[in-house]
C-alpha cells in the first residue's frame, strides 16, 4: 500500500472516529437534559426503551472505536491492508467499504463458515 493510500485511510478512520465521538457527546448531553419523569407510565416506558436502544448503539460504537484505533496502529506499524490470516493484501474496495477489515474477503468467508459450523454443533 502506498503512502498516499495509507494517508487516505488514516484520514478516513480519524474522521469516522471523530463522528462517533461527536454523536456520543450529543447523546450524553441529551441524557443530561432530558429526564425520564413523564407522568404517563406508557410515555415513560417508551422513553426508557428509546434510551436503552440509544445506549446499546453507543456501546457498539465504543467497540467500533477500539477497532478503529487498532486499524490506526496497523497503519503506523505498516501492517494495515494485509490479511492477518494469510498475509495477502486486502483489496482496496474492501478497505473502502470496511476500513477496519483485518482479513481478505475469502479469509473472512472461511472464518464465518467455520464459526457457523461450530455454532451448529
Amino acid at each position: 500500500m502506498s503512502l498516499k493510500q495509507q494517508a487516505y485511510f488514516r484520514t478516513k478512520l480519524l474522521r469516522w472516529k471523530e463522528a462517533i465521538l461527536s454523536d456520543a457527546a450529543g447523546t450524553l448531553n441529551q441524557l443530561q437534559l432530558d429526564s425520564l419523569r413523564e407522568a404517563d407510565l406508557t410515555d415513560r416506558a417508551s422513553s426508557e426503551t428509546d434510551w436503552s436502544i440509544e445506549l446499546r448503539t453507543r456501546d457498539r460504537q465504543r467497540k467500533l472505536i477500539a477497532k478503529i484505533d487498532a486499524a490506526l496502529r496497523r497503519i503506523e506499524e505498516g501492517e494495515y491492508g494485509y490479511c492477518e490470516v494469510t498475509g495477502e493484501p486486502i483489496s482496496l474496495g474492501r478497505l473502502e467499504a470496511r476500513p477496519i477489515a483485518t482479513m481478505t474477503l475469502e479469509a473472512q468467508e472461511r472464518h464465518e463458515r467455520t464459526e457457523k459450523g461450530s455454532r451448529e454443533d
Side-chain angles (χ1 to χ4, degrees):
M1 177 174 290
S2 73
L3 292 177
K4 187 176 181 179
Q5 290 167 328
Q6 288 178 4
Y8 169 80
F9 284 109
R10 181 182 299 110
T11 300
K12 184 176 181 105
L13 288 161
L14 288 170
R15 285 185 180 155
W16 191 11
K17 180 178 176 179
E18 204 173 281
I20 292 169
L21 291 173
S22 175
D23 288 348
T27 298
L28 183 60
N29 287 337
Q30 199 61 38
L31 275 171
Q32 291 171 342
L33 293 175
D34 288 351
S35 69
L36 295 175
R37 297 184 184 186
E38 287 89 354
D40 184 64
L41 289 178
T42 305
D43 289 341
R44 182 179 297 177
S46 177
S47 291
E48 288 176 0
T49 300
D50 291 346
W51 280 116
S52 175
I53 292 168
E54 183 71 23
L55 292 173
R56 273 186 289 188
T57 299
R58 294 297 161 235
D59 187 51
R60 280 193 304 273
Q61 289 180 336
R62 178 186 55 80
K63 293 173 185 172
L64 182 56
I65 286 175
K67 291 179 180 184
I68 292 170
D69 287 340
L72 290 167
R73 267 191 309 279
R74 286 193 307 277
I75 289 173
E76 295 306 316
E77 295 168 359
E79 298 172 1
Y80 184 78
Y82 294 96
C83 180
E84 65 182 15
V85 175
T86 65
E88 296 174 9
I90 300 171
S91 73
L92 292 176
R94 176 156 169 76
L95 289 172
E96 181 65 32
R98 185 146 178 91
I100 58 173
T102 59
M103 291 185 249
T104 62
L105 186 57
E106 296 78 18
Q108 183 69 42
E109 287 172 345
R110 279 191 307 271
H111 175 73
E112 289 174 4
R113 279 193 303 272
T114 302
E115 243 183 23
K116 184 179 179 185
S118 66
R119 280 192 304 233
E120 291 176 355
D121 292 340

